Amino acid sequence: MSVLDDLALSPSKNAKVFVLYRESNEKKEPLVIFQANSTHLPGFDGRVLRIRHMVMSPNYDYGDVNKEEYKEILAETFAQATALAGSELESKHVKFHFRTPSDLYFFREMRPSLEEEEEIKDVKAYGAWISFSLVVAEA
């Protein structure tokens, strides 16, 4: 995808490409790549970390993989991307865009557990997005 190529070659302070790897037997296997950018958006007070253009490894797009493993990768991607809002791409809010309706279903199922987290508030799922605010970013 050219949008990822261009950004990977020329990252900026507020927009970068990230790869989530699995390491085993001294081997790094890429699992997913995504764009993350932090910006001001209408309707939000403060910066919003947007996670977009998520591309899974061909093993997961075309291979025959266990559904639980796929869900674990989505959950880890979500956790790692969200961690960026408290560090490298500091943001008060997070918006996560989904690749497929199945991914959207998975994250909508996660919504109740997200709402129980003390560090998260205002969880909303709409269209192909889920958004929430981070309490720790308000301090």
Side-chain angles (χ1 to χ4, degrees), residues 82 85 91-94 114-115 117-122 132-139:
T82 301
S91 302
K92 192 173 180 179
H93 312 279
V94 177
L114 284 174
E115 290 173 333
E117 294 289 329
E118 292 181 18
E119 301 86 18
I120 294 175
K121 67 178 186 175
D122 301 328
F132 55 89
S133 299
L134 299 173
V135 174
V136 293
E138 294 179 330

Side-chain angles (χ1 to χ4, degrees), residues 30-51:
L31 301 175
V32 63
I33 187 170
F34 58 88
Q35 176 201 37
N37 68 28
S38 179
T39 189
H40 292 277
L41 292 175
F44 291 90
D45 63 330
R47 297 186 81 78
V48 180
L49 176 67
R50 293 185 299 175
I51 306 301

Side-chain angles (χ1 to χ4, degrees), residues 2-108:
S2 63
V3 68
L4 294 176
D5 285 344
D6 293 344
L7 190 55
L9 293 172
S10 300
S12 71
K13 177 183 172 192
N14 294 315
K16 299 176 182 174
V17 171
F18 293 89
V19 179
L20 179 65
Y21 292 95
R22 175 187 298 139
E23 293 189 45
S24 60
N25 300 329
E26 299 178 24
K27 179 181 169 188
K28 284 176 86 170
E29 174 191 4
L31 301 175
V32 63
I33 187 170
F34 58 88
Q35 176 201 37
N37 68 28
S38 179
T39 189
H40 292 277
L41 292 175
F44 291 90
D45 63 330
R47 297 186 81 78
V48 180
L49 176 67
R50 293 185 299 175
I51 306 301
R52 305 181 324 158
H53 306 299
M54 193 168 72
V55 178
M56 300 294 278
S57 162
N59 293 341
Y60 298 99
D61 267 346
Y62 302 110
D64 184 21
V65 293
N66 177 316
K67 279 186 189 179
E68 290 304 311
E69 184 178 359
Y70 185 79
K71 286 178 11 180
E72 288 173 16
I73 291 168
L74 287 178
E76 181 64 18
T77 302
F78 188 82
Q80 292 297 323
T82 301
L84 291 171
S87 61
E88 194 170 340
L89 295 173
E90 191 172 344
S91 302
K92 192 173 180 179
H93 312 279
V94 177
K95 283 183 72 172
F96 207 99
H97 189 257
F98 306 106
R99 301 171 346 110
T100 70
S102 295
D103 295 352
L104 181 59
Y105 175 79
F106 168 75
F107 285 109
R108 283 191 173 166

